[in-house]
């Protein structure tokens, strides 16, 4: 019997994977993709609760999360392209012009 | 148990066999139609008047050497043809082929699966088809395929927008997203949506030509322009997959156009009583006739029109078709509210 | 029974592909694993009777956003191999710390979660799209319009950021 708790645990595990990806990878595009993983984990949580409470709020909110993720991906990738044109790298360790 | 497992399995086998056979004979039909337009005969030697030509072609492709470029990304190179073919094939799962039949005591529904978001499902698997093209070009690790694939995928995603907006107008007219429901609503309203929405029909078909990389929008894969586009480095069965995928895509566009705009499996004039004898011809025969009509128009257009240059192509998609589709959407909404 | 089998298979695929996303060496492979991951998440949504969200997930996420990522990776990968500098131990240390923290959190969920679940608070009609559409246009109209403005701003911003010369 699959309860909401199973879906919550899946969502937590996926969120952890996203956090690990953000903190340990140096390629900034992979960092953005790990953020997408985190957003998906949150979506799974929303939809699981929408299914349990038989209410559509969760699904509506998940749609909005998808919209925000699309906007954020577009702008984030635009920033990466602009950075790449100036510094010739996508390694975030090397983007340290503001350091002392 | 039998109904939920065996019946869809039988239907899947029938649909896949039918689609692949049709695709194989489309290759031959294309060469024949182009030949007749150009006042010549086309392939005539293999089989009776060239009917076995594609069998010979397939055998040839099977037996060719399977080359992978030296520094290509091996896994992605292998997966790319699969990623082009699979989305086209699975789009046939929701297309209604006939009314619900009862054969040999088993109830056969008109389509393999009546998903309540059928039209969105077709759009979404269509947008998954872009991956095979991008990856095929990128993984070949060579200039012409990369350029061809980037151009081709940019063209695809640009025309996807106009096509999706025309499908929204169809949804507004029918009130449901399920394809079986759309055919039934055409029966209920008496008019096929192609006559109620001619602009949407035209935009869908023009966008469909661009989505399948067919003439006059076939710059990314034309031999005179870019060697072979994104399938330059592929040989043997992998090339056959790309080829199959292109024709299967054409069939999907034709089948969806038939379902949405031309009444699917309905006979002509379904609500006119004295033409009821047309109902004795089974629904799937009408569906096949209409789909092949569209496929013939695909081939006819290829033989007739010159090719668009790439910037003309992109300008047409973004600056003409999308505003036209939006205008159509607004007008349809206004008419539905006010009338 | 069948639902349990399906859930465990899909969940294993989601987590497996997630691990492959964050550990693949080539960015293009990461993106492909993420595509597979999103398709499995869409399957999960279908199991949760959120069909509209499932097709939106495939259409927008897997078919739109990740194509954008793929384009950018191909534009950026052309000259040098990715991740030229990387501390090989950093992944291990940080990953172990995070995994431990999450394990504690999961144990807490287990301990608290097996109590009485909250009651049903509404109805989910089988016509999923109509219900979500109705909600979006009546109760959540303002967020809907704001989302459209946000997308417009994001479009303009992305074009300006990525142009070669203004």
């Amino acid at each position: 019997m699959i309860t909401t708790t199973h879906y919550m645990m899946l969502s937590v595990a996926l969120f952890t994977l996203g956090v690990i990806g953000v903190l340990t990878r140096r390629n900034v595009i992979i960092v953005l993709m790990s953020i997408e993983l985190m957003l998906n984990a949150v979506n799974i949580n929303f939809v699981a609760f929408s299914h349990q409470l038989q209410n559509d709020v969760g699904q509506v909110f998940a749609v909005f999360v998808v919209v925000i993720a699309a906007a954020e991906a577009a702008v984030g990738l635009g920033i990466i392209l602009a950075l790449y044109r100036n510094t010739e790298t996508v390694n975030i360790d090397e983007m340290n012009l503001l350091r002392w | 148990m039998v109904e939920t497992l065996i019946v869809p399995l039988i239907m899947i086998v029938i649909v896949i066999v039918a689609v692949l056979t049709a695709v194989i004979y489309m290759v031959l039909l294309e060469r024949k139609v182009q030949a007749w337009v150009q006042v010549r005969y086309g392939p005539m030697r293999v089989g009776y008047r060239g009917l076995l030509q594609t069998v010979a072609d397939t055998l040839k492709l099977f037996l060719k050497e399977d080359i992978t470029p030296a520094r290509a990304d091996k896994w992605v190179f292998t997966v790319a043809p699969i990623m082009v073919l699979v989305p086209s094939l699975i789009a046939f799962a929701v297309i209604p082929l006939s009314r619900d039949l009862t054969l040999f005591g088993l109830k056969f529904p008109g389509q393999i699966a009546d998903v309540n978001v059928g039209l969105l499902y077709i759009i979404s698997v269509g947008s998954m088809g872009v991956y095979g093209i991008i990856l095929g070009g990128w993984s070949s690790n060579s200039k012409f395929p990369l350029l061809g694939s980037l151009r081709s995928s940019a063209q695809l995603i640009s025309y996807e927008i106009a096509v999706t907006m025309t499908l929204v107008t169809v949804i507004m007219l029918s009130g449901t997203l399920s394809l079986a429901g759309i055919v039934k609503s055409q029966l209920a309203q008496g008019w096929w949506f192609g006559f109620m929405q001619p602009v949407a029909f035209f935009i869908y078909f023009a966008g469909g030509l661009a989505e399948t990389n067919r003439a006059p929008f076939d710059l990314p894969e034309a031999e005179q322009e870019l060697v072979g586009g994104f399938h330059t480095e592929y040989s043997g069965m992998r090339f056959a997959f790309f080829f199959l995928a292109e024709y299967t895509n054409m069939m999907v566009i034709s089948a969806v156009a038939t379902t949405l705009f031309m009444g699917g499996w309905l006979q002509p004039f379904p609500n006119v009583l004295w033409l009821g004898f047309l109902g004795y011809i089974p629904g799937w025969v009408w569906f096949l006739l209409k789909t092949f009509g569209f496929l013939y128009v695909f081939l006819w257009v290829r033989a007739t029109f010159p090719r668009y240059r790439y910037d003309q192509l992109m300008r047409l998609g973004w600056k003409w078709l999308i505003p036209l589709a939006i205008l159509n959407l607004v007008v349809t909404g206004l008419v539905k509210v006010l009338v | 029974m069948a639902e349990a089998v399906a859930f465990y298979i899909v969940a294993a695929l989601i987590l497996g592909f997630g691990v492959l996303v964050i550990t693949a060496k080539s960015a293009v492979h990461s993106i492909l694993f993420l595509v597979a991951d999103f398709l499995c998440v869409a399957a999960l949504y279908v199991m949760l009777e959120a069909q509209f969200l499932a097709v939106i997930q495939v259409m927008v996420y897997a078919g739109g956003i990740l194509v954008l990522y793929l384009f950018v990776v191909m534009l950026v990968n052309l000259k040098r191999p990715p991740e030229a500098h990387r501390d090989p131990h950093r992944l291990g240390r940080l990953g172990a710390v995070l995994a431990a923290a999450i394990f504690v959190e999961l144990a807490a969920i287990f301990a608290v979660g097996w109590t009485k679940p909250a009651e049903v608070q509404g109805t989910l009609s089988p016509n999923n799209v109509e219900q979500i559409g109705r909600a979006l246009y009546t109760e959540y109209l303002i967020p809907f319009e704001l989302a459209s403005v946000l997308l417009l701003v994001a479009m303009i911003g992305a074009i300006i950021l990525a142009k070669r010369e203004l």
Side-chain angles (χ1 to χ4, degrees):
Chain A
M1 190 57 212
I2 303 296
T3 62
T4 313
T5 312
H6 290 88
Y7 287 102
M8 265 173 65
M9 280 163 32
L10 170 66
S11 152
V12 166
L14 196 60
F15 194 85
T16 323
L17 287 175
V19 170
I20 296 177
V22 167
L23 291 179
T24 56
R25 291 294 295 242
R26 297 297 101 200
N27 191 339
V28 65
I29 301 179
I30 307 227
V31 168
L32 279 186
M33 290 201 301
S34 310
I35 298 181
E36 304 288 340
L37 266 185
M38 289 198 273
L39 288 170
N40 265 289
V42 165
N43 263 352
I44 295 178
N45 220 347
F46 270 126
V47 177
F49 274 111
S50 151
H51 180 76
Q52 184 200 359
L53 302 175
Q54 291 287 304
N55 199 345
D56 60 354
V57 181
Q59 295 181 26
V60 170
F61 212 96
V63 170
F64 280 121
V65 169
V66 174
V67 168
I68 305 285
E72 165 236 336
V75 174
L77 289 171
I79 296 178
I80 291 177
L81 270 182
L83 267 178
Y84 177 75
R85 292 219 183 93
N86 279 322
T87 59
E88 283 287 315
T89 179
V90 284
N91 191 338
I92 50 181
D93 277 340
E94 297 176 9
M95 298 174 183
N96 54 2
L97 279 176
L98 287 180
R99 258 198 206 163
W100 58 89
Chain B
M1 172 64 187
V2 172
E3 301 261 310
T4 57
L5 216 50
I6 304 292
V7 165
L9 212 55
I10 299 178
M11 292 191 70
I12 291 175
V13 168
I14 294 177
V15 166
I16 290 190
V17 165
V19 166
L20 291 179
T21 316
V23 161
I24 285 176
Y25 274 94
M26 272 294 298
V27 178
L28 176 65
L29 191 66
E30 163 154 34
R31 292 172 68 173
K32 280 288 202 184
V33 165
Q34 283 215 301
W36 289 330
V37 166
Q38 294 164 5
V39 198
R40 56 185 174 91
Y41 277 122
M44 290 280 280
R45 287 191 181 275
V46 188
Y48 175 67
R49 294 178 80 96
L51 278 179
L52 291 179
Q53 175 69 35
T54 319
V55 176
D57 279 339
T58 317
L59 264 179
K60 173 196 80 170
L61 283 173
F62 253 126
L63 298 174
K64 270 199 174 180
E65 180 190 353
D66 193 18
I67 308 176
T68 307
R71 284 187 319 172
D73 192 337
K74 208 159 52 98
W75 283 108
V76 180
F77 192 76
T78 314
V79 157
I82 306 176
M83 287 188 78
V84 183
L85 185 59
V86 169
S88 329
L89 279 180
I90 63 180
F92 277 103
V94 293
I95 296 185
L97 303 167
S98 83
R99 65 174 64 85
D100 299 344
L101 304 167
T102 311
L103 293 175
F104 310 116
L106 285 175
K107 246 198 319 214
F108 281 91
Q111 62 277 329
I112 299 179
D114 187 16
V115 184
N116 61 344
V117 286
L119 196 53
L120 284 185
Y121 168 81
I122 290 192
I123 302 175
S124 56
V125 303
S127 61
M128 290 298 296
V130 180
Y131 277 107
I133 297 181
I134 303 179
L135 294 172
W138 179 84
S139 66
S140 305
N141 205 6
S142 140
K143 289 189 207 49
F144 283 125
L146 186 65
L147 275 180
S149 82
L150 283 176
R151 281 185 177 181
S152 181
S153 48
Q155 169 187 334
L156 244 131
I157 59 181
S158 312
Y159 281 84
E160 225 171 60
I161 303 175
V163 163
T164 311
M165 284 198 219
T166 65
L167 297 180
V168 170
T169 55
V170 168
I171 301 172
M172 286 166 74
L173 283 180
S174 72
T176 171
L177 276 174
S178 124
L179 285 173
I182 292 180
V183 173
K184 291 199 174 70
S185 74
Q186 287 182 67
L187 179 62
Q189 294 189 21
W191 279 101
W192 289 344
F193 292 151
F195 300 113
M196 288 168 78
Q197 290 267 333
V199 178
F201 188 23
F202 166 73
I203 295 178
Y204 179 77
F205 203 71
L209 279 178
E211 291 246 337
T212 53
N213 280 328
R214 290 287 296 185
F217 302 110
D218 66 345
L219 191 83
E221 63 170 30
E223 277 131 21
Q224 298 92 330
E225 312 283 344
L226 272 178
V227 184
F230 56 90
H231 47 71
T232 309
E233 299 284 345
Y234 284 91
S235 60
M237 266 325 273
R238 304 181 203 249
F239 174 71
F241 260 49
F242 275 116
F243 223 50
L244 276 182
E246 176 175 332
Y247 286 104
T248 316
N249 261 324
M250 276 169 62
M251 291 202 66
V252 169
I253 303 270
S254 306
V256 171
T258 311
T259 308
L260 296 180
F261 293 107
M262 281 286 138
W265 45 261
L266 294 171
Q267 75 234 30
F269 303 107
N271 293 329
V272 173
L273 275 180
W274 61 272
L275 283 177
F277 66 90
L278 290 173
Y280 285 113
I281 306 180
W284 52 270
V285 172
W286 289 115
F287 179 80
L288 283 177
L289 280 175
K290 295 176 200 171
T291 309
F292 274 102
F294 279 116
L295 283 172
Y296 180 72
V297 175
F298 265 101
L299 304 178
W300 193 9
V301 163
R302 179 178 184 181
T304 313
F305 291 114
R307 190 173 287 139
Y308 271 98
R309 211 175 56 226
Y310 190 65
D311 59 311
Q312 291 172 333
L313 201 161
M314 296 297 275
R315 187 176 42 156
L316 184 73
W318 286 99
K319 292 192 184 174
W320 283 95
L321 285 188
I322 293 183
L324 200 58
I326 296 180
L327 192 62
N328 185 30
L329 194 58
V330 168
V331 167
T332 307
L334 281 176
V335 166
K336 265 198 94 74
V337 163
L338 298 176
V339 169
Chain C
M1 178 56 203
E3 188 198 352
V5 168
F7 171 75
Y8 282 119
I9 293 180
V10 172
L13 282 176
I14 291 178
L15 293 178
F17 281 127
V19 169
L20 286 171
V21 166
I22 63 175
T23 56
K25 286 202 173 33
S26 150
V28 173
H29 292 171
S30 261
I31 293 183
L32 288 183
F33 289 132
L34 197 60
V35 171
D37 199 88
F38 286 168
L39 294 179
C40 298
V41 170
L44 200 72
Y45 289 158
V46 172
M47 284 197 309
L48 284 171
E49 295 177 26
Q51 297 98 357
F52 180 64
L53 198 57
V55 280
I56 291 293
Q57 169 93 359
V58 176
M59 202 162 47
V60 173
Y61 246 124
I65 298 181
L66 290 186
V67 171
L68 186 59
Y69 272 102
L70 200 54
F71 272 132
V72 172
V73 163
M74 288 196 319
L75 285 175
V76 153
N77 255 3
L78 289 175
K79 284 198 194 142
R80 54 184 264 175
E83 313 245 354
H85 315 275
R86 209 170 126 198
D87 178 10
H89 297 298
R90 187 191 229 147
L91 184 68
R93 278 183 257 137
L94 202 46
V97 168
L98 284 171
I102 295 306
F103 195 66
V104 169
E105 206 179 321
L106 278 178
I109 294 177
F110 252 116
V112 174
W114 295 126
T115 56
K116 177 174 77 85
E119 313 95 46
V120 172
Q121 282 180 15
T123 46
L124 267 185
S125 86
N127 200 344
N128 188 260
V129 182
E130 184 179 339
Q131 188 177 17
I132 294 189
R134 214 173 275 280
L136 274 177
Y137 275 95
T138 53
E139 216 180 318
Y140 302 102
L141 183 62
I142 296 185
F144 182 71
E145 298 294 334
L146 286 179
S148 70
V149 173
L150 176 77
L151 282 174
L152 178 68
V153 170
M155 241 198 302
I156 299 176
I159 291 176
I160 292 186
L161 281 171
K163 269 176 91 70
R164 280 187 196 278
E165 70 285 319
L166 271 178

